[in-house]
Amino acid sequence: MAEVLVLVEHVDGAVKKITTELLTAARQLGEPSAVVVGAPGTAAGYADTLKEFGAAKIYAAESDEALTYLVAPKSDILASIAGSASPAAILIAATAEGKEIAGRLAVKLESGLLYDVVGLGADGVATQAIFAGQVIVKSQVTSGTPIYVLKGGAVDAEAAPAAGELVEASVSLSEAATKAKILDRVVESSGSRPELTDANIVVSGGRGVGSADNFKVVEDLADSLGAAVGASRAAVDSGFYPHQFQVGQTGKTVSPQLYVALGISGAIQHRAGMQTSKTIVAVNKDPEAPIFELADFGVVGDLFAVAPQAAEEVRKRKG
Amino acid sequence: MNIVVLVKQVPDSGTERSLRADDKTVERDSASLVINEMDEYAIEEALKVKEAVGGTVTVLTMGPDKATESIRKALSMGPDGAVHVNDPALHGSDALATSKVLAKALQGLEWDLVIAGAESTDGRAAAMASMLSERLGVAGLTGARKLTVDGSTLTIERQLEDGYQVVEAQTPAIVSVWDTINEPRYPSFKGIMAAKKKPVDTKSLADLGVDASEVGLGAATSSVVEFAPRPPRAAGEKITDEGDAGSKLVAYLAAEKIV
Ligand SMILES: Cc1cc2nc3c(=O)[nH]c(=O)nc-3n(C[C@H](O)[C@H](O)[C@H](O)COP(=O)(O)OP(=O)(O)OC[C@H]3O[C@@H](n4cnc5c(N)ncnc54)[C@H](O)[C@@H]3O)c2cc1C
Ligand SMILES: Cc1cc2nc3c(=O)[nH]c(=O)nc-3n(C[C@H](O)[C@H](O)[C@H](O)COP(=O)(O)OP(=O)(O)OC[C@H]3O[C@@H](n4cnc5c(N)ncnc54)[C@H](O)[C@@H]3O)c2cc1C
């Protein structure tokens, strides 16, 4: 069976969940080989997880140097492994970096590239949700080694233990790959609330919240529910809340169990970032607001009355 | 410093967009077409660099006849001139072919810096700057929320989910920018009038030395099998607050076993 390369996403010594999903998707197309690009000595630590989800081989591309340059080294490494392994396909996570790695790789291999894939079948047909999710497209690669860039949740991760043989992959960087040097990494923490894109519940505020100070009302309902806080672009542009919390086309895409929209009208670009949420609740004083078209439970009313009452009720129920 | 800004014309992302039933490419005829939003930030950044260190700003667009409108709009913000790659054979080009053509066009221009948007609102590959830097063998400083130019040294803050990276390179380089980088200026009346007289150099594939068989729908490395509108969400429950909507909302969440 042909190999299917999966680029491993990892952080702080752990394999990210998306990688287990990619390995699961890869098993439909061939025999998964995980590719770990990391500091010397990291790949072995990931072996248990990678094996559990079906990696027959684990390529360890370990190099401190590769990590000091932006994007290009990872596509160099994948291209070199693809050169010897002749894989049936290559799977990469649809993060900002993943999309760039895939773009460079497509150029190197002259291969077709499908990005933002939300579903992948055994026949190699990929599903994409385009135009802010309004249109569902099925497409396939017709030339070269198919490169699929998958979004989180495209497939459900399922364990299927495999050998996970560790193979050392030599790392040699082209001159062109060492032109953008990473000098520093700065983390701007999101505080004590859950990470927006991982959270089970997201409570977002829009322009209707009215001021930065008033966002306390949004935060209070979020905290009662143990939720992350999000914001519409209008709220961000008005300076009510920091940009890193923006939900939508030009912000983050979230798909929580529950999304609560407070004072958000529901513009197409906002929906693009939240319409796949399992349950959507909206509070808006305008009965005609488009957000109600997708709300499972809509309240026509003043958010400053409804949200605090809801927060209090949640706290009462939780005891 | 000579700067090229990449500007793509796209269907307005605030409207209903669709694909054509015949060849499954983007429906442009009925769409309201605008400059890709991030590209306005790219133009603004290019103008700021020019204002700081001198040089020229040239707009580069690959697109059909209609893209002329977006080119004029871009020029009205202040760039010196534009190159418009326009050829019927380009219709339906995929990301690989687009990068090939844009790379060829860039090879025919003199520049130290190329600035692109980080992502288009239609294709959303978010990879064009990387693909071009791969093709041209120059540095790719992608996803910037801040750009600093010091002689031939470029430094960006690369925007990440939870913070940023500081990344440095020498010119020539390709930078891509997010909307966090600046606040694009509005074209002035003077700018709009001046834009009408600015040079727009139209190039065909033959002018660029690209064979028509390498681009367009026929050469695409992927194809759309089928498409359909997303099924609408089932209608939900809607209540009007009578003083107890907060409690009713939580009762609903409890019934759904969310709280
Ligand atoms: C290229 C592009 C990309 C974009 N990307 C994004 C994106 O990523 N994310 C995003 O969110 N937007 C994005 N937008 C902007 C989008 O088009 C809308 O402008 C934006 O989502 C509106 O935000 P809003 O709903 O908070 O504000 P508004 O549309 O002003 O809505 C405010 C709502 O609050 C309600 N309200 C007011 N007071 C109260 C109250 N006391 N109680 C209850 N309700 C109240 C009003 O009835 C109204 O419906 C983008 C736009 C463009 C052009
Ligand atoms: C809905 C949709 C889905 C698609 N899916 C795929 C796919 O899965 N695989 C595939 O190979 N192709 C796909 N394409 C085609 C591909 O998007 C186009 O070839 C496109 O020109 C390049 O990708 P992008 O606009 O997404 O680029 P992005 O990388 O998102 O654009 C970033 C920047 O590049 C610059 N730029 C991009 N295009 C041009 C241009 N024509 N002229 C000047 N500057 C430009 C702009 O500065 C822009 O801000 C898709 C197109 C659409 C509309």
Side-chain angles (χ1 to χ4, degrees):
Chain A
M1 222 195 315
E3 290 182 44
V4 177
L5 302 184
V6 171
L7 180 63
V8 175
E9 290 274 324
H10 55 99
V11 68
D12 301 334
V15 171
K16 286 202 184 174
K17 177 165 162 255
I18 177 97
T19 299
T20 60
E21 295 170 1
L22 261 52
L23 287 167
T24 306
R27 296 203 304 262
Q28 307 176 82
L29 306 172
E31 200 167 58
S33 295
V35 177
V36 178
V37 181
T42 41
Y46 301 143
D48 284 348
T49 309
L50 299 174
K51 279 181 200 176
E52 184 188 343
F53 287 91
K57 253 188 218 165
I58 300 167
Y59 291 102
E62 300 181 325
S63 152
D64 283 322
E65 205 207 354
L67 304 177
T68 58
Y69 301 101
L70 202 60
V71 183
K74 289 181 181 159
S75 55
D76 267 20
I77 288 164
L78 280 172
S80 136
I81 295 173
S84 54
S86 305
I90 303 171
L91 272 57
I92 298 173
T95 58
E97 189 188 36
K99 289 172 96 170
E100 294 183 331
I101 294 168
R104 283 179 176 271
L105 189 62
V107 169
K108 279 180 193 291
L109 303 178
E110 292 191 57
S111 287
L113 162 71
L114 293 172
Y115 41 81
D116 290 346
V117 169
V118 296
L120 183 60
D123 52 0
V125 173
T127 307
Q128 294 162 296
I130 64 165
F131 297 152
Q134 290 166 353
V135 180
I136 309 298
V137 170
K138 290 198 188 279
S139 30
Q140 63 191 13
V141 171
T142 50
S143 168
T145 307
I147 302 169
Y148 300 104
V149 186
L150 269 70
K151 297 192 93 137
V155 296
D156 293 326
E158 272 171 45
E165 177 203 351
L166 215 52
V167 182
E168 206 178 305
S170 71
V171 177
S172 67
L173 303 180
S174 63
E175 198 249 324
T178 58
K179 291 196 163 162
K181 192 161 174 43
I182 302 168
L183 304 180
D184 200 5
R185 166 101 163 79
V186 179
V187 176
E188 296 166 324
S189 124
S190 60
S192 55
R193 296 195 182 92
E195 188 61 49
L196 189 51
T197 47
D198 289 344
N200 278 327
I201 304 179
V202 175
V203 180
S204 288
R207 200 199 313 263
V209 177
S211 72
D213 222 30
N214 287 350
F215 245 79
K216 284 200 202 89
V217 173
V218 181
E219 291 183 332
D220 188 54
L221 178 57
D223 290 342
S224 75
L225 291 162
V229 174
S232 75
R233 177 158 171 176
V236 170
D237 285 351
S238 310
F240 301 170
Y241 222 63
H243 175 267
Q244 66 186 111
F245 299 102
Q246 183 176 315
V247 172
Q249 181 175 284
T250 31
K252 295 196 166 128
T253 303
V254 300
S255 202
Q257 288 295 108
L258 171 65
Y259 187 87
V260 182
L262 301 174
I264 293 177
S265 60
I268 289 175
Q269 294 99 342
H270 186 77
R271 295 187 199 189
M274 46 65 78
Q275 65 195 345
T276 56
S277 304
K278 185 118 191 300
T279 299
I280 296 172
V281 169
V283 181
N284 196 304
K285 64 181 183 191
D286 173 8
E288 303 299 324
I291 191 77
F292 289 125
E293 289 163 24
L294 35 161
D296 299 287
F297 190 85
V299 177
V300 180
D302 184 350
L303 73 91
F304 297 105
V306 179
Q309 190 182 70
E312 197 191 307
E313 184 68 27
V314 172
R315 291 200 170 97
K316 227 188 282 168
R317 279 177 191 255
K318 284 188 174 169
Chain B
M1 181 158 297
N2 293 327
I3 308 167
V4 177
V5 193
L6 299 183
V7 174
K8 183 184 189 188
Q9 187 184 52
V10 296
D12 186 343
S13 65
T15 61
E16 296 279 327
R17 292 167 290 173
S18 59
L19 294 181
R20 276 163 57 158
D22 56 355
D23 68 357
K24 307 188 184 82
T25 63
V26 179
E27 175 61 64
R28 288 172 184 276
D29 291 342
S30 63
S32 116
L33 299 166
V34 297
I35 293 181
N36 177 47
E37 205 213 4
M38 292 301 160
D39 301 353
E40 294 185 18
Y41 295 81
I43 297 167
E44 177 63 33
E45 200 58 21
L47 294 171
K48 278 174 122 175
V49 174
K50 175 183 161 173
E51 282 156 12
V53 304
T56 60
V57 176
T58 306
V59 166
L60 171 59
T61 293
M62 173 185 130
D65 293 346
K66 281 192 177 170
T68 314
E69 288 162 39
S70 293
I71 292 172
R72 288 293 167 199
K73 168 118 196 285
L75 289 175
S76 70
M77 289 174 71
D80 302 287
V83 174
H84 182 184
V85 182
N86 183 1
D87 197 303
L90 287 167
H91 174 77
S93 291
D94 63 5
L96 213 52
T98 304
S99 67
K100 185 180 279 179
V101 173
L102 291 175
K104 272 283 188 195
L106 287 171
Q107 279 168 336
L109 296 168
E110 275 186 35
W111 50 270
D112 310 287
L113 173 61
V114 172
I115 308 184
E119 181 179 271
S120 71
T121 53
D122 62 347
R124 302 197 72 186
M128 200 44 63
S130 287
M131 295 176 91
L132 291 171
S133 99
E134 182 69 39
R135 286 201 186 272
L136 298 168
V138 302
L141 289 175
T142 44
R145 65 173 205 183
K146 186 174 176 201
L147 168 66
T148 314
V149 178
D150 181 6
S152 61
T153 304
L154 305 172
T155 312
I156 64 156
E157 280 183 18
R158 173 180 166 86
Q159 184 171 304
L160 302 176
E161 291 260 312
D162 62 349
Y164 62 94
Q165 282 171 317
V166 180
V167 192
E168 184 186 274
Q170 301 297 311
T171 55
I174 302 181
V175 172
S176 69
V177 304
W178 290 111
D179 55 347
T180 36
I181 197 161
N182 58 40
E183 208 37 70
R185 64 195 68 187
Y186 286 104
S188 64
F189 179 70
K190 216 175 117 206
I192 295 168
M193 295 315 286
K196 295 185 174 151
K197 298 195 204 79
K198 287 179 180 172
V200 177
D201 186 6
T202 304
K203 300 247 186 241
S204 67
L205 284 173
D207 294 335
L208 296 180
V210 177
D211 198 284
S213 67
E214 296 175 62
V215 300
L217 204 54
T221 51
S222 54
S223 70
V224 174
V225 184
E226 59 183 40
F227 69 91
R230 169 189 293 281
R233 283 180 84 101
E237 198 179 331
K238 190 164 149 194
I239 63 164
T240 300
D241 186 22
E242 283 160 356
D244 59 355
S247 305
K248 280 187 173 158
L249 194 164
V250 178
Y252 168 80
L253 296 179
E256 293 290 310
K257 302 199 167 43
I258 297 170
V259 293

